[in-house]
Amino acid sequence: MSAADDGVLPFRWDITRREQLGRLVPQDPTCALCGDDEFIETAGKIVARSAISRLVFVGRSPESWFDFLSGSFADIASAPPVTLLRYSNRGFDAAMLEKTYPAELRAIRTYFAAESLAPRAIVNAPGPVCFIDLVADGGTFEGLCDLLCTWAAQSQVDVSALRAKIAFLGITDRRKNSPNTWRWYQAPFWSQGFSSRQLTSISISRELWDHFGNRQSKVTPSHPYWRWASPAQADPSRGEKHIDALGNAIALFDFGRSRAGRHALADAIARREEMADPFVRRIVSMLRGKSGN
C-alpha cells in the first residue's frame, strides 16, 4: 500500500493547541519580527491585495506571515481563511511526475485534497484562492499551476473554471523600477490568460527577502517531490533549528492575536488603496474591534 493510500500527510505543529507542545519551547517565546514595520506592512499588503480570497501560503518561505495572520484572524469568523501549504517543486511538470514519481504525485494530491485544494474543491468553493510565496522567477507557481490544471483535466473538471478561481501573489525583492523591468509573470507561457488581478507582486527589501528565502530557520523540513510519499513527513520535526523556529511561530501568532498586533495590521491595511473595497474596510473594522489577549 502506498503512502497516498495510507493518507500520510506532512506534519506541522498546531500552535493553536499549546497542550500538544509540552515543554518543546519556552513559555514566553519572542521573535524579532514582532513589531517589525516592514514585516507588518507587507502583511497588510497581502491582505489588501488578496481581498476576499482564501490565503494559501506556499512552502516554508512565507510561513511567518501565515503564523502572524493566523493569530490576527483568530476568532474573527468572517476573516479570510489562512492556510500553509507544504509544497515545493521546481523543474518537474505534472507529466514528468506521473511518469517518474507516480506514488509521490498520488501523495501530494491526497494532501491537497485534505486541505480542500483539489481542483473540484477550488471550483466549488464560495470564493477564490490566492497562492502566496516568495518569488525569484516564478518556477514554484508554474509547477503548482501545471499540477492543478493537469489534475483538473484528468478529473473532468473545467480547467477554465479552475483558472478563474485561482490567483498568484509573488513576494519579490525590491529592485529599481523601470519600463523595462522584467516581472516573474510576464514571459512564462503558463501565466497567459490570467488577468492582471490574478498575477500580482509585493516587493520587500532584499535583506528581508533573503532572510525569509535563504537564512531563516523553519518549523519543518522542506517538502519537495521526492519526499511527498515518505512516511517520515508525518513525524514531528524536533531538530534544534525547527524547535527554535517553532518558538518564533508561536511568538508571531500571539503577537498577531494581541491588540497591538491587530491594530498594527489594521493600520497597514488601511494605508492601502484597496480600502475602497467594502470587504477590506470590514476586515480593518473587525481587527480594530478585537481587544486581543
Side-chain angles (χ1 to χ4, degrees):
M1 183 175 290
S2 72
D5 295 329
D6 284 338
V8 174
L9 303 176
F11 180 90
R12 190 181 194 262
W13 296 103
D14 183 354
I15 58 179
T16 66
R17 303 176 66 180
R18 301 295 170 83
E19 71 278 2
Q20 293 184 347
L21 304 181
R23 299 181 180 178
L24 277 175
V25 294
Q27 189 165 357
D28 296 305
T30 59
C31 177
L33 290 170
C34 294
D36 181 89
D37 290 343
E38 186 178 10
F39 174 77
I40 296 171
E41 193 71 20
T42 303
K45 291 178 182 179
I46 290 171
V47 175
R49 295 273 179 90
S50 304
I52 62 172
S53 301
R54 175 184 177 186
L55 310 182
V56 178
F57 293 90
V58 180
R60 303 189 305 162
S61 296
E63 71 176 15
S64 291
W65 283 293
F66 163 77
D67 292 315
F68 173 64
L69 291 177
S70 294
S72 299
F73 293 152
D75 307 320
I76 299 179
S78 54
V82 181
T83 301
L84 183 66
L85 184 68
R86 287 192 57 200
Y87 167 86
S88 175
N89 178 32
R90 294 178 61 85
F92 273 77
D93 60 27
M96 296 168 66
L97 289 167
E98 193 163 22
K99 180 179 180 180
T100 311
Y101 297 97
E104 285 73 14
L105 181 59
R106 289 194 299 272
I108 200 67
R109 287 181 172 181
T110 296
Y111 173 39
F112 275 48
E115 296 287 353
S116 299
L117 289 171
R120 194 175 304 279
I122 292 174
V123 170
N124 292 335
V129 173
C130 182
F131 294 101
I132 304 156
D133 192 14
L134 266 69
V135 166
D137 58 13
T140 297
F141 282 162
E142 178 180 3
L144 178 58
C145 184
D146 180 67
L147 185 150
L148 289 171
C149 290
T150 300
W151 187 3
Q154 293 173 344
S155 305
Q156 298 184 322
V157 174
D158 186 337
V159 176
S160 296
L162 171 69
R163 288 171 66 90
K165 289 291 291 287
I166 59 178
F168 299 91
L169 194 163
I171 301 173
T172 63
D173 64 321
R174 188 173 296 122
R175 302 174 184 177
K176 185 176 180 180
N177 201 11
S178 75
N180 297 320
T181 299
W182 182 86
R183 293 174 174 82
W184 58 270
Y185 50 79
Q186 289 179 322
F189 71 91
W190 69 270
S191 63
Q192 304 306 306
F194 286 110
S195 71
S196 59
R197 291 177 60 89
Q198 292 175 283
L199 301 171
T200 57
S201 291
I202 294 172
S203 64
I204 59 177
S205 66
R206 180 159 297 185
E207 293 77 15
L208 195 63
W209 195 98
D210 181 61
H211 171 74
F212 291 123
N214 300 317
R215 295 185 288 108
Q216 184 189 40
S217 296
K218 308 297 182 182
V219 177
T220 61
S222 181
H223 195 51
Y225 63 86
W226 63 85
R227 292 180 177 170
W228 290 347
S230 170
Q233 294 302 298
D235 297 331
S237 305
R238 298 179 183 273
E240 182 178 353
K241 290 185 177 180
H242 299 310
I243 297 303
D244 287 344
L246 178 60
N248 289 338
I250 291 171
L252 282 168
F253 179 89
D254 289 347
F255 175 64
R257 197 172 185 179
S258 70
R259 178 183 177 87
R262 282 174 164 153
H263 281 218
L265 176 61
D267 290 345
I269 298 171
R271 287 190 284 270
R272 308 303 307 161
E273 62 183 18
E274 290 85 357
M275 270 293 284
D277 186 319
F279 182 78
V280 177
R281 291 200 301 272
R282 189 159 61 250
I283 292 175
V284 169
S285 178
M286 289 186 297
L287 288 167
R288 287 177 172 161
K290 279 285 184 180
S291 60
N293 296 329

